[in-house]
Amino acid sequence: MTVTLEVATDSWPIEGGFTIARGSRTHANVVVATLREGAHAGRGECVPYARYGETVEGVMDDIARLAPEIARGLDRAGLQQAMPAGAARNALDCAFWDLEAKRGGTTAAALAGLAEPRAQITAFTISLGTPEKMAADAAKAASRPLLKVKLGGEGDDARIAAVRAAAPQARLIVDANEAWTEALFARNMAACQEAGVELIEQPLPSSADGALATLERPIPVCADESLHTSADLERLAPLYDAVNIKLDKTGGLTEALVLARKARAMDFRVMVGCMLGTSLAMAPAVLVAQEADYVDLDAPLLLAQDREPGLAFEGSLLIPPGPALWG
């Protein structure tokens, strides 16, 4: 039976906006690929990201371009060679997983040879802002067990101190989104150490992260923008202690599972993260998150409205998706 492809885009408002070192956003703009075969449909969602040269229009075109190949029998295995890693392949890869599960009357976890997923604690993100604004946001989230604090370079020592004072019991991880310089590194690292931060994500630009080989890092440092696929791990091994796996960077669940296994074998700590998407984008990542040291799949909690059905959360506890959502 022929598999047909549909591509659509949605925009979802973010509650209160979202700010990182590279700028601010008010909406999460996503692309959804749907594969249909008879009565069965599989969906996958991706988030095109300008940092990697992606646009919504370009990603939609890249996905739609494969419609004839899919109709002629291109499958998930063939997709890995037909398209490079990135958001477009992620949407299609996850749609293939969902379609395979629904067609076979099973689950994506079973198809991957994994146990059925368990509920996981996710980090909750505090957007970049003034120390006062970040302290107010942290105070509202102080009962959550794990906060992820967005930093921005100059002034980060004051920001992280303010967040720690406002949320004294929460575990903290931080994400600089490439905003630190070598000159700021020691001061900001010391401030994070004073605040009891457990992990620092991508402090230096990916183009300058070779400096991490000689900089003291008393807190583990995690690669995000510097990591896309398992092919990157050899270069990153001397520089980073952890890696952040995002399906929009790996090009889908298929490569994300390979990357996670290789990273653990190389003694990296593993975080599973996300772009700003809906529950449909988070659902496949829940499978990778099962063996992760840190889970950061809170995007639906940051939206003013999520798709229905969506993931269920009990505070910061993420409940695995049901088949009506994905997988």
Side-chain angles (χ1 to χ4, degrees), residues 113-164:
L114 302 173
E116 289 304 305
R118 309 175 307 278
Q120 301 281 328
I121 293 291
T122 179
F124 182 82
T125 302
I126 304 298
S127 281
L128 177 66
T130 64
E132 296 75 18
K133 175 63 163 60
M134 294 179 73
D137 291 344
K140 294 175 186 176
S143 63
R144 294 183 180 273
L146 180 64
L147 300 181
K148 178 172 178 173
V149 183
K150 291 290 188 178
L151 297 180
E154 189 66 47
D156 281 348
D157 48 351
R159 292 184 182 99
I160 195 61
V163 168
R164 172 47 80 204

Side-chain angles (χ1 to χ4, degrees), residues 78-228:
L79 176 67
Q80 310 310 308
Q81 286 73 49
M83 183 176 272
R89 194 177 81 186
N90 177 34
L92 278 173
D93 183 78
C94 292
F96 270 118
W97 278 98
D98 192 26
L99 179 62
E100 290 168 33
K102 289 179 168 58
R103 184 170 53 201
T106 184
T107 65
L111 289 173
L114 302 173
E116 289 304 305
R118 309 175 307 278
Q120 301 281 328
I121 293 291
T122 179
F124 182 82
T125 302
I126 304 298
S127 281
L128 177 66
T130 64
E132 296 75 18
K133 175 63 163 60
M134 294 179 73
D137 291 344
K140 294 175 186 176
S143 63
R144 294 183 180 273
L146 180 64
L147 300 181
K148 178 172 178 173
V149 183
K150 291 290 188 178
L151 297 180
E154 189 66 47
D156 281 348
D157 48 351
R159 292 184 182 99
I160 195 61
V163 168
R164 172 47 80 204
Q169 302 304 315
R171 297 166 57 209
L172 299 181
I173 56 179
V174 304
D175 184 3
N177 286 114
E178 304 182 282
W180 291 6
T181 63
E182 287 188 59
L184 288 173
F185 190 90
R187 186 176 80 198
N188 287 347
M189 176 68 76
C192 288
Q193 195 172 12
E194 177 68 22
V197 169
E198 298 181 18
L199 190 74
I200 297 174
E201 232 182 296
Q202 198 69 41
L204 300 178
S206 61
S207 60
D209 65 359
L212 292 171
T214 57
L215 292 170
E216 291 189 20
R217 47 182 201 263
I219 300 172
V221 174
C222 178
D224 182 0
E225 286 86 348
S226 290
L227 171 79
H228 290 260

Side-chain angles (χ1 to χ4, degrees), residues 294-308:
Y294 296 94
V295 177
D296 178 28
L297 298 176
D298 66 335
L301 295 174
L302 306 179
L303 300 179
Q305 180 185 355
D306 191 14
R307 66 175 72 247
E308 293 287 346

Side-chain angles (χ1 to χ4, degrees), residues 6-10 30-34 43-46 63 91 280 307:
E6 301 167 9
V7 191
T9 182
D10 294 313
V30 309
V31 173
V32 177
T34 302
R43 300 183 300 163
E45 177 183 302
C46 71
I63 293 171
L280 180 58
R307 66 175 72 247

